[in-house]
Amino acid sequence: MQARVAADPRRGERVASWLGLALGVSFTVCFLTGLYSHFAQHPPSWFMLSARPAGLYRVTQGVHVATGIAAVPLLLAKLWSVYPKLFVRPPVRSVAHALERLSLLPLVGGSIFMLFSGVANIDLWYPLPLFFPAGHYWVAWLTIGALVVHIGAKATTVRHALARDRRPADLDPTTATEGADLRRGRRRFLLSVGAASGLLTLLTVGETVRPLRGLALLAPRDPDVGTQGFPVNRTAEEAGIVDEASSGGWRLMVTGAVERPLALSLEQISRFPQREATLPIACVEGWSASRRWRGVPLSAVLEAAGAPTGASVTVRSLESGLYAQSDVDADQAADPDTLLALEVDGDRLALDHGYPLRLIGPNRPGVLQTKWLREIEVHP
Amino acid sequence: MTSPERTTDGAEPGPGGWLFWTGLALGWAVMAYAVRGALMDSGGTNPDQLVRWVIGGALVHDLVVAPLVTGVALLLAWRAPSWWGKPLGVAAAFSAIVVLFSWPVLRGYGRHPGNSSTLPRNYTAGVAWVIGGVWVVTLVLIGFRALRRGRMDRGEPS
């Protein structure tokens, strides 16, 4: 068995090194893009979500999900490749070795957890008895910490293994005894893993890269399917706002640090100068859909209420719960394309998309494009 | 095989050096930050369950998935010649990954009645197309190899 494993080109240091390198890059990309999304939704004091470029959030979250999906075959192949090392004797040779091996538990467990919970989340499936964003966020830190330990421990091994790969085998004493079959087997294995990663990504990425929509056989969303031709995360029925939103008594309240608090009916809002902007709804779950929106610039309503220049606002929805409100910082509030939207693609907003009025702004996470607005509170 | 990072008896040497110790200190500090954060945010993270799922994931892999896959790989290597056994193994592994990855959409766990945009496709057909395509390519490849081997056995140029 040991001889068979030793001769298996799929379980050598070079394969583990190449897969480790690919996983290191993909996990780092996932971590940074995930961190960006976390800060966008829960901004620390030093972070400001810039309104431009308008599609930045869409790109980062598309990359986040696509890279995570690509990492699934990479991780499975890497774990399989290094599995015999689990039984290495002696299991621990020093304190340093013990600490390094101990960090493999959060690395392996965290990696599996991240990919499993991430895939479940994009599929709108929540089998874990915890709040997905919180669990995914903190386990991401745990996994990255373990990855840093692993990189420190394996950097030299990887450097040597990859350096040998760049040298001609016949000049390299360390590879001279390797048969051509082993090298071919290693290349084929890596190509197979790369093909699996690429194919899985290709079969899903069309939920955000529209030209690839036809290939997205496994994507949990279709950017062209849903009410008014694009996806809905939470319907009006699910939000429980159908009666309130349809009521003729609906008003948009503008409150807080303003000279003239307002209570605007839909008709009064319609009389403001209108503006059109093509902006994406971009979800943290990796789908996005660009649409042509028409409505009143938020800045025009703030000006009418006598809000101070450079004000930030909080917008509130008719719905209750976690995403019932969102903050719009000064940069976003002043952007002319941050709209209180009345129409999408030339039609009045459907209830599921936020009728009577919703916020739509450049470079905002989908959950912060608050639907069914009822109040704008202005902060000085 | 010998290499600069191996000891004379062929075993991997214990980790060490400034890069290792820096990575160890930094990595464990980040992990401590993560544990602290998960505990502080216990309403969302449900720490007991989180630990079970993280450790459980590693255990399920090490005790169930990896032995199973290794067993199948060894069986293929033992019973099947590599010219068709290896492509067969790759196709089987890829099919398993596709099914595993697609399981939630195949079962329709996240489909919301009243929201046509959730899981809008026919995923059974999608998975069948993908796996079917992989097996067609694999069988064509094996067929070519069989033809080439037949020609070589008959002494014809390949």
Side-chain angles (χ1 to χ4, degrees):
Chain A
M1 161 100 177
Q2 274 188 335
R4 195 186 288 274
V5 167
D8 191 336
R10 299 164 297 184
R11 286 185 150 158
E13 273 171 5
R14 293 186 202 184
V15 164
S17 296
W18 277 114
L19 292 174
L21 198 63
L23 273 172
V25 170
S26 55
F27 273 33
T28 303
V29 168
C30 279
F31 181 69
L32 294 177
T33 49
L35 213 54
Y36 178 70
S37 179
H38 183 83
F39 288 158
Q41 294 182 49
H42 311 281
S45 56
W46 51 266
F47 182 85
M48 184 181 255
L49 183 63
S50 165
R52 303 289 162 172
L56 182 62
Y57 189 81
R58 173 190 218 176
V59 171
T60 58
Q61 298 320 293
V63 167
H64 180 81
V65 171
T67 311
I69 289 171
V72 172
L74 291 176
L75 179 67
L76 292 172
K78 165 81 174 176
L79 290 177
W80 187 75
S81 171
V82 297
Y83 184 59
K85 290 192 174 188
L86 188 63
F87 307 103
V88 73
R89 291 286 176 274
V92 171
R93 291 194 297 275
S94 63
V95 173
H97 190 225
L99 287 170
E100 187 247 326
R101 291 208 80 182
L102 191 62
S103 71
L104 293 177
L105 181 62
L107 181 61
V108 174
S111 301
I112 292 170
F113 177 91
M114 291 305 290
L115 296 186
F116 174 74
S117 61
V119 169
N121 177 59
I122 65 169
D123 293 337
L124 308 169
W125 179 43
Y126 301 98
L128 278 62
L130 45 90
F131 181 50
F132 165 76
H136 201 69
Y137 178 72
W138 289 115
V139 177
W141 278 103
L142 183 79
T143 310
I144 283 295
L147 182 63
V148 169
V149 176
H150 195 62
I151 289 171
K154 297 294 179 187
T156 309
T157 306
V158 170
R159 203 169 52 237
H160 283 302
L162 300 188
R164 283 202 304 272
D165 245 12
R166 285 196 293 271
R167 282 179 249 155
D170 54 349
L171 297 178
D172 181 2
T174 62
T175 57
T177 54
E178 274 191 334
D181 283 350
L182 285 181
R183 287 197 295 277
R184 195 164 51 238
R186 189 169 60 232
R187 270 198 303 271
R188 281 179 177 167
F189 180 67
L190 287 173
L191 279 173
S192 301
V193 176
S197 280
L199 196 55
L200 220 49
T201 308
L202 198 63
L203 292 167
T204 47
V205 79
E207 66 178 357
T208 190
V209 181
R210 207 151 177 264
L212 297 175
R213 179 179 162 255
L215 294 173
L217 302 179
L218 306 183
R221 296 294 191 133
D222 183 326
D224 288 349
V225 172
T227 310
Q228 292 187 302
F230 63 104
V232 173
N233 253 12
R234 191 163 155 84
T235 63
E237 189 80 36
E238 288 169 328
I241 53 78
V242 174
D243 291 342
E244 269 186 287
S246 311
S247 149
W250 175 88
R251 293 287 182 277
L252 175 71
M253 313 299 290
V254 183
T255 62
V258 292
E259 291 170 8
R260 296 172 292 281
L262 302 174
L264 301 168
S265 69
L266 198 53
E267 193 192 333
Q268 287 171 313
I269 292 171
S270 304
R271 287 204 291 265
F272 274 83
Q274 305 285 304
R275 182 181 171 88
E276 278 194 1
T278 299
L279 294 170
I281 290 275
C283 186
V284 68
E285 288 150 12
W287 64 265
S288 66
S290 207
R291 289 295 181 271
R292 189 166 45 85
W293 306 87
R294 184 177 167 82
V296 184
L298 173 61
S299 55
V301 173
L302 296 182
E303 192 182 330
T309 308
S312 61
V313 305
T314 298
V315 295
R316 297 199 173 87
S317 169
L318 292 173
E319 71 169 320
S320 55
L322 199 59
Y323 300 112
Q325 66 176 48
S326 69
D327 294 328
V328 184
D329 60 35
D331 183 46
Q332 295 250 351
D335 194 287
D337 283 350
T338 300
L339 303 179
L340 304 175
L342 295 156
E343 296 177 11
V344 61
D345 288 339
D347 294 325
R348 194 184 76 175
L349 282 179
L351 259 180
D352 283 347
H353 282 304
Y355 174 86
L357 195 67
R358 77 171 296 164
L359 179 76
I360 183 82
N363 195 35
R364 287 177 70 76
V367 291
L368 302 188
Q369 309 277 31
T370 306
K371 300 195 280 191
W372 312 298
L373 292 181
R374 66 173 171 83
E375 184 186 3
I376 297 172
E377 184 188 350
V378 178
H379 308 296
Chain B
M1 183 167 71
T2 59
S3 65
E5 69 279 11
R6 286 191 178 279
T7 58
T8 49
D9 63 357
E12 246 184 79
W18 69 268
L19 191 58
F20 169 74
W21 289 109
T22 306
L24 192 79
L26 185 63
W28 277 96
V30 172
M31 283 193 278
Y33 170 73
V35 171
R36 179 181 170 275
L39 290 173
M40 301 274 284
D41 193 5
S42 60
T45 57
N46 197 352
D48 288 355
Q49 289 293 334
L50 195 65
V51 168
R52 274 185 212 182
W53 279 82
V54 169
I55 295 178
L59 290 179
V60 166
H61 172 269
D62 289 350
L63 300 178
V64 180
V65 179
L68 194 71
V69 176
T70 301
V72 172
L74 285 175
L75 191 71
L76 267 177
W78 176 46
R79 298 298 295 177
S82 68
W83 65 270
W84 64 265
K86 284 188 175 168
L88 208 72
V90 169
F94 185 70
S95 303
I97 289 173
V98 168
V99 171
L100 199 67
F101 174 79
S102 309
W103 191 252
V105 293
L106 282 170
R107 300 286 300 160
Y109 292 135
R111 187 167 283 128
H112 292 207
N115 184 351
S116 62
S117 69
T118 55
L119 311 187
R121 297 172 188 271
N122 180 345
Y123 296 101
T124 307
V127 168
W129 272 107
V130 174
I131 291 179
V134 167
W135 280 95
V136 166
V137 171
T138 304
L139 293 176
V140 167
L141 177 71
I142 290 173
F144 272 122
R145 286 185 175 185
L147 277 176
R148 199 170 58 187
R149 289 176 68 85
R151 283 187 188 142
M152 284 169 70
D153 288 347
R154 290 193 299 273
E156 295 171 13
S158 57

